[in-house]
PDB file of all heavy atoms in Angstrom:
ATOM      1  N   PRO A  99     142.014   0.176 -78.631  1.00  0.00           N
ATOM      2  CA  PRO A  99     142.113   1.509 -79.182  1.00  0.00           C
ATOM      3  C   PRO A  99     143.439   1.722 -79.851  1.00  0.00           C
ATOM      4  O   PRO A  99     144.521   1.433 -79.254  1.00  0.00           O
ATOM      5  CB  PRO A  99     141.905   2.330 -77.925  1.00  0.00           C
ATOM      6  CG  PRO A  99     141.053   1.551 -76.969  1.00  0.00           C
ATOM      7  CD  PRO A  99     141.531   0.135 -77.228  1.00  0.00           C
ATOM      8  N   GLY A 100     143.378   2.288 -81.062  1.00  0.00           N
ATOM      9  CA  GLY A 100     144.556   2.546 -81.817  1.00  0.00           C
ATOM     10  C   GLY A 100     145.311   1.395 -82.367  1.00  0.00           C
ATOM     11  O   GLY A 100     146.336   1.591 -83.095  1.00  0.00           O
ATOM     12  N   ARG A 101     144.715   0.257 -82.228  1.00  0.00           N
ATOM     13  CA  ARG A 101     145.377  -0.968 -82.581  1.00  0.00           C
ATOM     14  C   ARG A 101     144.557  -1.921 -83.395  1.00  0.00           C
ATOM     15  O   ARG A 101     144.986  -2.434 -84.464  1.00  0.00           O
ATOM     16  CB  ARG A 101     145.821  -1.641 -81.317  1.00  0.00           C
ATOM     17  CG  ARG A 101     146.301  -3.128 -81.431  1.00  0.00           C
ATOM     18  CD  ARG A 101     147.634  -3.320 -81.879  1.00  0.00           C
ATOM     19  NE  ARG A 101     147.959  -4.787 -81.846  1.00  0.00           N
ATOM     20  CZ  ARG A 101     149.266  -5.165 -82.316  1.00  0.00           C
ATOM     21  NH1 ARG A 101     150.173  -4.232 -82.676  1.00  0.00           N
ATOM     22  NH2 ARG A 101     149.527  -6.353 -82.231  1.00  0.00           N
ATOM     23  N   ALA A 102     143.300  -2.259 -82.953  1.00  0.00           N
ATOM     24  CA  ALA A 102     142.511  -3.256 -83.656  1.00  0.00           C
ATOM     25  C   ALA A 102     140.974  -3.138 -83.459  1.00  0.00           C
ATOM     26  O   ALA A 102     140.546  -2.675 -82.444  1.00  0.00           O
ATOM     27  CB  ALA A 102     142.924  -4.635 -83.183  1.00  0.00           C
ATOM     28  N   ILE A 103     140.283  -3.484 -84.535  1.00  0.00           N
ATOM     29  CA  ILE A 103     138.772  -3.557 -84.475  1.00  0.00           C
ATOM     30  C   ILE A 103     138.404  -4.958 -84.974  1.00  0.00           C
ATOM     31  O   ILE A 103     138.880  -5.443 -86.031  1.00  0.00           O
ATOM     32  CB  ILE A 103     138.161  -2.533 -85.304  1.00  0.00           C
ATOM     33  CG1 ILE A 103     138.492  -1.072 -84.757  1.00  0.00           C
ATOM     34  CG2 ILE A 103     136.584  -2.744 -85.272  1.00  0.00           C
ATOM     35  CD1 ILE A 103     137.977  -0.010 -85.638  1.00  0.00           C
ATOM     36  N   VAL A 104     137.550  -5.659 -84.260  1.00  0.00           N
ATOM     37  CA  VAL A 104     137.024  -6.991 -84.700  1.00  0.00           C
ATOM     38  C   VAL A 104     135.555  -6.879 -84.933  1.00  0.00           C
ATOM     39  O   VAL A 104     134.811  -6.424 -84.095  1.00  0.00           O
ATOM     40  CB  VAL A 104     137.306  -8.043 -83.650  1.00  0.00           C
ATOM     41  CG1 VAL A 104     136.774  -9.454 -84.147  1.00  0.00           C
ATOM     42  CG2 VAL A 104     138.859  -8.213 -83.330  1.00  0.00           C
ATOM     43  N   LEU A 105     135.157  -7.229 -86.160  1.00  0.00           N
ATOM     44  CA  LEU A 105     133.801  -7.140 -86.506  1.00  0.00           C
ATOM     45  C   LEU A 105     133.331  -8.629 -86.616  1.00  0.00           C
ATOM     46  O   LEU A 105     133.853  -9.409 -87.405  1.00  0.00           O
ATOM     47  CB  LEU A 105     133.550  -6.473 -87.912  1.00  0.00           C
ATOM     48  CG  LEU A 105     134.006  -5.000 -87.951  1.00  0.00           C
ATOM     49  CD1 LEU A 105     133.742  -4.403 -89.292  1.00  0.00           C
ATOM     50  CD2 LEU A 105     133.294  -4.149 -86.834  1.00  0.00           C
ATOM     51  N   LYS A 106     132.232  -8.923 -85.825  1.00  0.00           N
ATOM     52  CA  LYS A 106     131.739 -10.342 -85.865  1.00  0.00           C
ATOM     53  C   LYS A 106     131.124 -10.594 -87.226  1.00  0.00           C
ATOM     54  O   LYS A 106     130.310  -9.852 -87.781  1.00  0.00           O
ATOM     55  CB  LYS A 106     130.681 -10.407 -84.765  1.00  0.00           C
ATOM     56  CG  LYS A 106     130.230 -11.839 -84.534  1.00  0.00           C
ATOM     57  CD  LYS A 106     129.130 -11.842 -83.467  1.00  0.00           C
ATOM     58  CE  LYS A 106     129.720 -11.501 -82.104  1.00  0.00           C
ATOM     59  NZ  LYS A 106     128.711 -11.564 -80.987  1.00  0.00           N
ATOM     60  N   GLY A 107     131.543 -11.735 -87.804  1.00  0.00           N
ATOM     61  CA  GLY A 107     131.058 -12.117 -89.151  1.00  0.00           C
ATOM     62  C   GLY A 107     131.914 -11.582 -90.248  1.00  0.00           C
ATOM     63  O   GLY A 107     131.667 -11.885 -91.465  1.00  0.00           O
ATOM     64  N   TRP A 108     132.965 -10.728 -89.926  1.00  0.00           N
ATOM     65  CA  TRP A 108     133.900 -10.280 -90.888  1.00  0.00           C
ATOM     66  C   TRP A 108     135.279 -10.669 -90.484  1.00  0.00           C
ATOM     67  O   TRP A 108     135.826 -11.565 -91.200  1.00  0.00           O
ATOM     68  CB  TRP A 108     133.811  -8.740 -91.022  1.00  0.00           C
ATOM     69  CG  TRP A 108     134.556  -8.150 -92.159  1.00  0.00           C
ATOM     70  CD1 TRP A 108     135.826  -8.638 -92.600  1.00  0.00           C
ATOM     71  CD2 TRP A 108     134.327  -6.954 -92.849  1.00  0.00           C
ATOM     72  NE1 TRP A 108     136.292  -7.770 -93.707  1.00  0.00           N
ATOM     73  CE2 TRP A 108     135.346  -6.789 -93.811  1.00  0.00           C
ATOM     74  CE3 TRP A 108     133.249  -6.035 -92.874  1.00  0.00           C
ATOM     75  CZ2 TRP A 108     135.377  -5.710 -94.647  1.00  0.00           C
ATOM     76  CZ3 TRP A 108     133.272  -4.966 -93.764  1.00  0.00           C
ATOM     77  CH2 TRP A 108     134.349  -4.768 -94.602  1.00  0.00           C
ATOM     78  N   GLY A 109     135.826 -10.070 -89.439  1.00  0.00           N
ATOM     79  CA  GLY A 109     137.118 -10.428 -88.998  1.00  0.00           C
ATOM     80  C   GLY A 109     137.791  -9.252 -88.325  1.00  0.00           C
ATOM     81  O   GLY A 109     137.089  -8.378 -87.862  1.00  0.00           O
ATOM     82  N   ALA A 110     139.139  -9.243 -88.358  1.00  0.00           N
ATOM     83  CA  ALA A 110     139.904  -8.205 -87.564  1.00  0.00           C
ATOM     84  C   ALA A 110     140.570  -7.359 -88.563  1.00  0.00           C
ATOM     85  O   ALA A 110     141.118  -7.706 -89.538  1.00  0.00           O
ATOM     86  CB  ALA A 110     140.931  -8.884 -86.696  1.00  0.00           C
ATOM     87  N   PHE A 111     140.651  -6.058 -88.182  1.00  0.00           N
ATOM     88  CA  PHE A 111     141.426  -4.986 -88.751  1.00  0.00           C
ATOM     89  C   PHE A 111     142.453  -4.614 -87.758  1.00  0.00           C
ATOM     90  O   PHE A 111     142.176  -4.078 -86.687  1.00  0.00           O
ATOM     91  CB  PHE A 111     140.511  -3.761 -89.065  1.00  0.00           C
ATOM     92  CG  PHE A 111     139.427  -4.079 -90.028  1.00  0.00           C
ATOM     93  CD1 PHE A 111     138.322  -4.791 -89.685  1.00  0.00           C
ATOM     94  CD2 PHE A 111     139.550  -3.586 -91.322  1.00  0.00           C
ATOM     95  CE1 PHE A 111     137.266  -5.028 -90.542  1.00  0.00           C
ATOM     96  CE2 PHE A 111     138.502  -3.916 -92.297  1.00  0.00           C
ATOM     97  CZ  PHE A 111     137.396  -4.561 -91.836  1.00  0.00           C
ATOM     98  N   VAL A 112     143.749  -4.894 -88.041  1.00  0.00           N
ATOM     99  CA  VAL A 112     144.820  -4.773 -87.139  1.00  0.00           C
ATOM    100  C   VAL A 112     145.919  -3.825 -87.634  1.00  0.00           C
ATOM    101  O   VAL A 112     146.319  -3.981 -88.800  1.00  0.00           O
ATOM    102  CB  VAL A 112     145.447  -6.126 -86.776  1.00  0.00           C
ATOM    103  CG1 VAL A 112     146.578  -6.053 -85.807  1.00  0.00           C
ATOM    104  CG2 VAL A 112     144.372  -7.028 -86.195  1.00  0.00           C
ATOM    105  N   LEU A 113     146.483  -2.993 -86.765  1.00  0.00           N
ATOM    106  CA  LEU A 113     147.557  -2.125 -87.059  1.00  0.00           C
ATOM    107  C   LEU A 113     148.729  -2.544 -86.298  1.00  0.00           C
ATOM    108  O   LEU A 113     148.709  -2.739 -85.087  1.00  0.00           O
ATOM    109  CB  LEU A 113     147.155  -0.654 -86.715  1.00  0.00           C
ATOM    110  CG  LEU A 113     145.982  -0.012 -87.339  1.00  0.00           C
ATOM    111  CD1 LEU A 113     145.743   1.479 -86.866  1.00  0.00           C
ATOM    112  CD2 LEU A 113     146.073  -0.070 -88.900  1.00  0.00           C
ATOM    113  N   GLN A 114     149.847  -2.635 -87.139  1.00  0.00           N
ATOM    114  CA  GLN A 114     151.048  -3.054 -86.480  1.00  0.00           C
ATOM    115  C   GLN A 114     152.154  -1.991 -86.902  1.00  0.00           C
ATOM    116  O   GLN A 114     152.630  -2.020 -87.995  1.00  0.00           O
ATOM    117  CB  GLN A 114     151.573  -4.419 -86.929  1.00  0.00           C
ATOM    118  CG  GLN A 114     150.681  -5.589 -86.358  1.00  0.00           C
ATOM    119  CD  GLN A 114     151.150  -6.987 -86.708  1.00  0.00           C
ATOM    120  OE1 GLN A 114     152.058  -7.130 -87.538  1.00  0.00           O
ATOM    121  NE2 GLN A 114     150.561  -7.965 -86.048  1.00  0.00           N
ATOM    122  N   PRO A 115     152.524  -1.103 -85.956  1.00  0.00           N
ATOM    123  CA  PRO A 115     153.530  -0.026 -86.322  1.00  0.00           C
ATOM    124  C   PRO A 115     154.874  -0.649 -86.576  1.00  0.00           C
ATOM    125  O   PRO A 115     155.310  -1.618 -85.964  1.00  0.00           O
ATOM    126  CB  PRO A 115     153.558   0.777 -85.061  1.00  0.00           C
ATOM    127  CG  PRO A 115     152.239   0.603 -84.347  1.00  0.00           C
ATOM    128  CD  PRO A 115     151.951  -0.936 -84.591  1.00  0.00           C
ATOM    129  N   ILE A 116     155.466  -0.195 -87.652  1.00  0.00           N
ATOM    130  CA  ILE A 116     156.836  -0.574 -88.018  1.00  0.00           C
ATOM    131  C   ILE A 116     157.806   0.393 -87.417  1.00  0.00           C
ATOM    132  O   ILE A 116     158.851  -0.041 -86.797  1.00  0.00           O
ATOM    133  CB  ILE A 116     157.023  -0.663 -89.516  1.00  0.00           C
ATOM    134  CG1 ILE A 116     156.118  -1.795 -90.130  1.00  0.00           C
ATOM    135  CG2 ILE A 116     158.440  -0.905 -89.867  1.00  0.00           C
ATOM    136  CD1 ILE A 116     156.122  -1.825 -91.639  1.00  0.00           C
ATOM    137  N   ASP A 117     157.502   1.650 -87.571  1.00  0.00           N
ATOM    138  CA  ASP A 117     158.279   2.692 -86.836  1.00  0.00           C
ATOM    139  C   ASP A 117     157.366   3.882 -86.730  1.00  0.00           C
ATOM    140  O   ASP A 117     156.092   3.782 -86.863  1.00  0.00           O
ATOM    141  CB  ASP A 117     159.557   3.072 -87.646  1.00  0.00           C
ATOM    142  CG  ASP A 117     159.256   3.405 -89.151  1.00  0.00           C
ATOM    143  OD1 ASP A 117     158.190   4.041 -89.413  1.00  0.00           O
ATOM    144  OD2 ASP A 117     160.047   3.003 -90.047  1.00  0.00           O
ATOM    145  N   GLU A 118     157.903   5.027 -86.431  1.00  0.00           N
ATOM    146  CA  GLU A 118     157.061   6.244 -86.185  1.00  0.00           C
ATOM    147  C   GLU A 118     156.356   6.744 -87.394  1.00  0.00           C
ATOM    148  O   GLU A 118     155.335   7.535 -87.345  1.00  0.00           O
ATOM    149  CB  GLU A 118     157.950   7.416 -85.578  1.00  0.00           C
ATOM    150  CG  GLU A 118     158.482   7.071 -84.264  1.00  0.00           C
ATOM    151  CD  GLU A 118     159.278   8.238 -83.639  1.00  0.00           C
ATOM    152  OE1 GLU A 118     159.499   9.224 -84.435  1.00  0.00           O
ATOM    153  OE2 GLU A 118     159.668   8.133 -82.410  1.00  0.00           O
ATOM    154  N   LYS A 119     156.764   6.381 -88.594  1.00  0.00           N
ATOM    155  CA  LYS A 119     156.194   6.788 -89.883  1.00  0.00           C
ATOM    156  C   LYS A 119     155.539   5.730 -90.794  1.00  0.00           C
ATOM    157  O   LYS A 119     155.106   6.137 -91.818  1.00  0.00           O
ATOM    158  CB  LYS A 119     157.290   7.584 -90.676  1.00  0.00           C
ATOM    159  CG  LYS A 119     157.830   8.793 -89.960  1.00  0.00           C
ATOM    160  CD  LYS A 119     158.921   9.403 -90.780  1.00  0.00           C
ATOM    161  CE  LYS A 119     159.530  10.663 -90.153  1.00  0.00           C
ATOM    162  NZ  LYS A 119     160.518  11.370 -90.960  1.00  0.00           N
ATOM    163  N   THR A 120     155.602   4.477 -90.294  1.00  0.00           N
ATOM    164  CA  THR A 120     155.187   3.400 -91.131  1.00  0.00           C
ATOM    165  C   THR A 120     154.352   2.376 -90.287  1.00  0.00           C
ATOM    166  O   THR A 120     154.668   2.072 -89.197  1.00  0.00           O
ATOM    167  CB  THR A 120     156.349   2.672 -91.765  1.00  0.00           C
ATOM    168  OG1 THR A 120     157.381   3.556 -92.254  1.00  0.00           O
ATOM    169  CG2 THR A 120     155.951   1.798 -92.981  1.00  0.00           C
ATOM    170  N   THR A 121     153.304   1.878 -91.042  1.00  0.00           N
ATOM    171  CA  THR A 121     152.321   1.008 -90.327  1.00  0.00           C
ATOM    172  C   THR A 121     151.965  -0.188 -91.194  1.00  0.00           C
ATOM    173  O   THR A 121     151.763   0.053 -92.422  1.00  0.00           O
ATOM    174  CB  THR A 121     151.115   1.747 -89.820  1.00  0.00           C
ATOM    175  OG1 THR A 121     151.451   2.887 -89.057  1.00  0.00           O
ATOM    176  CG2 THR A 121     150.171   0.829 -89.009  1.00  0.00           C
ATOM    177  N   ARG A 122     151.858  -1.357 -90.715  1.00  0.00           N
ATOM    178  CA  ARG A 122     151.278  -2.435 -91.423  1.00  0.00           C
ATOM    179  C   ARG A 122     149.772  -2.521 -91.033  1.00  0.00           C
ATOM    180  O   ARG A 122     149.397  -2.613 -89.932  1.00  0.00           O
ATOM    181  CB  ARG A 122     151.903  -3.776 -91.041  1.00  0.00           C
ATOM    182  CG  ARG A 122     153.270  -3.926 -91.640  1.00  0.00           C
ATOM    183  CD  ARG A 122     153.264  -4.147 -93.176  1.00  0.00           C
ATOM    184  NE  ARG A 122     152.942  -5.486 -93.500  1.00  0.00           N
ATOM    185  CZ  ARG A 122     152.696  -5.866 -94.770  1.00  0.00           C
ATOM    186  NH1 ARG A 122     152.804  -4.958 -95.743  1.00  0.00           N
ATOM    187  NH2 ARG A 122     152.404  -7.103 -95.031  1.00  0.00           N
ATOM    188  N   LEU A 123     148.911  -2.547 -92.031  1.00  0.00           N
ATOM    189  CA  LEU A 123     147.433  -2.646 -91.909  1.00  0.00           C
ATOM    190  C   LEU A 123     147.161  -4.072 -92.317  1.00  0.00           C
ATOM    191  O   LEU A 123     147.397  -4.421 -93.516  1.00  0.00           O
ATOM    192  CB  LEU A 123     146.686  -1.678 -92.699  1.00  0.00           C
ATOM    193  CG  LEU A 123     145.157  -1.919 -92.811  1.00  0.00           C
ATOM    194  CD1 LEU A 123     144.452  -1.980 -91.427  1.00  0.00           C
ATOM    195  CD2 LEU A 123     144.541  -0.821 -93.614  1.00  0.00           C
ATOM    196  N   ILE A 124     146.569  -4.932 -91.417  1.00  0.00           N
ATOM    197  CA  ILE A 124     146.290  -6.369 -91.715  1.00  0.00           C
ATOM    198  C   ILE A 124     144.768  -6.513 -91.520  1.00  0.00           C
ATOM    199  O   ILE A 124     144.241  -6.149 -90.499  1.00  0.00           O
ATOM    200  CB  ILE A 124     147.033  -7.228 -90.779  1.00  0.00           C
ATOM    201  CG1 ILE A 124     148.631  -7.043 -90.827  1.00  0.00           C
ATOM    202  CG2 ILE A 124     146.800  -8.714 -91.137  1.00  0.00           C
ATOM    203  CD1 ILE A 124     149.367  -7.719 -89.728  1.00  0.00           C
ATOM    204  N   ILE A 125     144.227  -7.210 -92.453  1.00  0.00           N
ATOM    205  CA  ILE A 125     142.858  -7.614 -92.381  1.00  0.00           C
ATOM    206  C   ILE A 125     142.763  -9.062 -92.526  1.00  0.00           C
ATOM    207  O   ILE A 125     143.145  -9.633 -93.484  1.00  0.00           O
ATOM    208  CB  ILE A 125     141.896  -6.891 -93.491  1.00  0.00           C
ATOM    209  CG1 ILE A 125     142.020  -5.377 -93.473  1.00  0.00           C
ATOM    210  CG2 ILE A 125     140.398  -7.255 -93.223  1.00  0.00           C
ATOM    211  CD1 ILE A 125     141.176  -4.777 -94.571  1.00  0.00           C
ATOM    212  N   ARG A 126     142.189  -9.709 -91.460  1.00  0.00           N
ATOM    213  CA  ARG A 126     141.984 -11.158 -91.389  1.00  0.00           C
ATOM    214  C   ARG A 126     140.457 -11.397 -91.484  1.00  0.00           C
ATOM    215  O   ARG A 126     139.770 -11.031 -90.493  1.00  0.00           O
ATOM    216  CB  ARG A 126     142.664 -11.884 -90.274  1.00  0.00           C
ATOM    217  CG  ARG A 126     142.263 -13.324 -90.206  1.00  0.00           C
ATOM    218  CD  ARG A 126     143.150 -14.072 -89.289  1.00  0.00           C
ATOM    219  NE  ARG A 126     144.463 -14.171 -89.795  1.00  0.00           N
ATOM    220  CZ  ARG A 126     145.597 -14.454 -89.120  1.00  0.00           C
ATOM    221  NH1 ARG A 126     145.439 -14.701 -87.728  1.00  0.00           N
ATOM    222  NH2 ARG A 126     146.762 -14.423 -89.608  1.00  0.00           N
ATOM    223  N   SER A 127     140.045 -12.058 -92.539  1.00  0.00           N
ATOM    224  CA  SER A 127     138.691 -12.348 -92.627  1.00  0.00           C
ATOM    225  C   SER A 127     138.429 -13.858 -92.582  1.00  0.00           C
ATOM    226  O   SER A 127     139.212 -14.523 -93.243  1.00  0.00           O
ATOM    227  CB  SER A 127     138.123 -11.840 -93.951  1.00  0.00           C
ATOM    228  OG  SER A 127     138.346 -10.450 -94.166  1.00  0.00           O
ATOM    229  N   GLN A 128     137.435 -14.337 -91.852  1.00  0.00           N
ATOM    230  CA  GLN A 128     137.246 -15.745 -91.720  1.00  0.00           C
ATOM    231  C   GLN A 128     135.825 -15.999 -91.462  1.00  0.00           C
ATOM    232  O   GLN A 128     135.137 -15.223 -90.816  1.00  0.00           O
ATOM    233  CB  GLN A 128     138.124 -16.398 -90.716  1.00  0.00           C
ATOM    234  CG  GLN A 128     138.252 -15.595 -89.476  1.00  0.00           C
ATOM    235  CD  GLN A 128     139.497 -16.129 -88.585  1.00  0.00           C
ATOM    236  OE1 GLN A 128     140.286 -16.971 -89.075  1.00  0.00           O
ATOM    237  NE2 GLN A 128     139.671 -15.558 -87.353  1.00  0.00           N
TER     238      GLN A 128
END
């Protein structure tokens, strides 16, 4: 919750907070 969702057959959607106002959104598909 608030961090990551993994979809089978697609991959991961991951949030990595940088600070209180900035976030890295990473999608890894495989």
Side-chain angles (χ1 to χ4, degrees):
R101 165 84 175 177
I103 298 173
V104 179
L105 300 180
K106 189 179 298 184
W108 185 330
F111 298 74
V112 179
L113 299 181
Q114 292 185 348
I116 296 175
D117 53 40
E118 293 182 355
K119 298 180 180 180
T120 316
T121 306
R122 286 290 281 174
L123 168 57
I124 305 168
I125 304 179
R126 173 166 294 161
S127 307
Q128 42 196 4

